[in-house]
Amino acid sequence: MLPLVYPGHATGNENSSFCLSGSLDGVDVHGKIVWESRKDDVVKSAGGSGMIIVNSPDFAYSTLVEPHLLRTSNVPYADGLKIKAYINTTSAPTATIIFKGTVMHTPHSPAMASFSSRGPSQITPGILKPDITGPGVNILAAWTSAFEVFSGTSMSCPHLSGVAALIKKAHPDWSPAAIKSAIMTTAYATDNSRGPILDERRLPADLFAVGAGHVDPPKAMDPGLVYDLTPQDYIPYLCGLYANNHVRAIVGGPVNCSSVKSISEAELNYPSISVKLPAIHSTPVSYTRTVTNVGAPRSTYRAMVDVPEGVSARVDPTTLSFEKVDEKKSFSITFRRRGGRRQGAVEGQLRWVSTKHVVRSPISIILE
């Protein structure tokens, strides 16, 4: 057991806890474990023997693997506050850091990291963002001639890109939209304890954090149905956003938006659904989607829709029957407010269920 010190308590300066250059002047840390230190070279040069790094409130329970010069423990914000209280109320606080090897204890996995980008999209709120989530925290990854542990979008993106490449190899005729649909509609929204995926606060993560859920590569190879889109399908949407010359630049060819009926982003044949219901007992809002059968030639799917109290949703037709592969079927889904004065974002889901597949679309509903 070594003495435990909180530099901010000793100096009266909270900035001392970050152990920046010169911040430990006049603080005796020799042979001690330092609480809330960020610069281990400063602690080491001052004679410190170890560090306890405490998450910021924003990071909460998200802990990252990082290399250090001294033995170090990274603890969640809530645990850091308990340690700080112990230091401040004990005449001679002590601590020890013991390494017992690598132990995998992940009762709630996967979970959302604090730094993962959140929706909704401010420019296109009719498209649920993010689309999907994948492994991105504490990834052992190749780095030049060695391996290091990294976290961030730079890790999650190659995981999803790799899944897309595998699907493209298995289905070379699928479009990018079909591949995205396969990834999104087969994702899972529960963790390994069968509860909802949690965020960095250990609270249920909403759709603006997980999107359709966590990628499930084996299921994405065989989604049953896909929501497909061609490049031309985006032109009516782009014409509603940009001037004609900008759309031409994006498309890379001639486009005349004056002859195109523009559509909102929510009208795209997207695997997720975002709807805004502006008033109680307002006019119903309907969208049409088209699915393509990429599963068994003969198959039947039945619609199952879940929406929160105060909202009703109707799917028409409720059954889709296919006779061949690549056959397309369209359906409409209509939303309506059903009393109550609740406001804000609520969630639901649409599932097309067959004997072999569950094709799941997340539904984001904004109640105004």
Side-chain angles (χ1 to χ4, degrees), residues 31-364:
K32 300 178 181 179
I33 295 176
V34 181
W35 182 91
E36 179 59 318
S37 50
R38 295 289 171 180
K39 299 290 288 184
D40 43 5
D41 56 337
V42 175
V43 176
K44 184 177 182 180
S45 64
S49 293
M51 303 185 304
I52 297 176
I53 295 181
V54 181
N55 277 358
S56 66
D58 290 341
F59 263 63
Y61 287 92
S62 295
T63 53
L64 306 182
V65 173
E66 296 176 322
H68 294 286
L69 300 174
L70 300 170
R71 53 189 139 176
T72 302
S73 180
N74 181 195
V75 301
Y77 177 70
D79 294 334
L81 292 181
K82 294 177 183 178
I83 297 172
K84 182 179 180 181
Y86 162 70
I87 296 172
N88 291 337
T89 57
T90 305
S91 58
T94 59
T96 186
I97 298 175
I98 303 173
F99 180 62
K100 295 185 177 180
T102 301
V103 179
M104 297 299 294
H105 179 63
T106 54
H108 294 286
S109 180
M112 295 305 302
S114 58
F115 53 80
S116 183
S117 296
R118 266 44 172 197
S121 169
Q122 299 300 317
I123 299 175
T124 56
I127 296 179
L128 174 63
K129 290 295 178 179
D131 288 320
I132 192 75
T133 187
V137 178
N138 298 333
I139 306 300
L140 181 62
W143 180 254
T144 61
S145 60
F147 283 84
E148 289 192 31
V149 176
F150 291 98
S151 298
T153 304
S154 58
M155 295 294 100
S156 187
C157 181
H159 276 92
L160 271 297
S161 300
V163 173
L166 289 172
I167 296 174
K168 185 65 174 177
K169 179 67 175 178
H171 305 284
D173 58 328
W174 284 14
S175 69
I179 293 173
K180 174 186 275 192
S181 174
I183 292 173
M184 290 176 61
T185 60
T186 57
Y188 56 91
T190 56
D191 63 18
N192 58 0
S193 67
R194 298 185 179 180
I197 293 176
L198 305 181
D199 63 15
E200 72 280 2
R201 303 164 299 170
R202 292 184 178 173
L203 298 175
D206 60 21
L207 293 182
F208 297 133
V210 299
H214 192 280
V215 62
D216 189 334
K219 287 188 177 181
M221 301 292 284
D222 180 24
L225 303 175
V226 293
Y227 295 82
D228 204 359
L229 279 165
T230 69
Q232 294 299 313
D233 293 328
Y234 287 95
I235 292 178
Y237 161 57
L238 293 173
C239 283
L241 278 183
Y242 305 115
N244 208 64
N245 60 322
H246 294 155
V247 177
R248 284 198 299 268
I250 295 171
V251 174
V255 175
N256 183 8
C257 283
S258 61
S259 62
V260 175
K261 181 182 178 182
S262 64
I263 62 172
S264 68
E265 67 270 17
E267 296 175 88
L268 288 169
N269 197 44
Y270 214 72
S272 59
I273 300 171
S274 293
V275 60
K276 184 181 293 185
L277 298 178
I280 300 174
H281 302 302
S282 63
T283 303
V285 177
S286 296
Y287 294 123
T288 298
R289 294 287 194 267
T290 300
V291 288
T292 304
N293 179 31
V294 294
R298 292 178 177 272
S299 54
T300 299
Y301 291 80
R302 289 177 173 80
M304 300 181 68
V305 60
D306 304 308
V307 290
E309 185 179 354
V311 177
S312 68
R314 187 183 75 254
V315 180
D316 186 32
T318 57
T319 301
L320 299 176
S321 296
F322 299 89
E323 299 296 327
K324 57 184 179 180
V325 176
D326 292 331
E327 184 179 359
K328 298 180 183 294
K329 295 281 186 178
S330 296
F331 66 90
S332 66
I333 182 166
T334 303
F335 301 91
R336 185 191 293 270
R337 292 283 287 267
R338 290 296 186 188
R341 298 185 178 276
R342 184 177 179 182
Q343 292 181 319
V346 294
E347 303 176 1
Q349 63 177 353
L350 167 65
R351 290 172 293 160
W352 286 103
V353 182
S354 72
T355 56
K356 185 179 178 182
H357 298 96
V358 176
V359 185
R360 177 180 169 273
S361 293
I363 300 174
S364 173

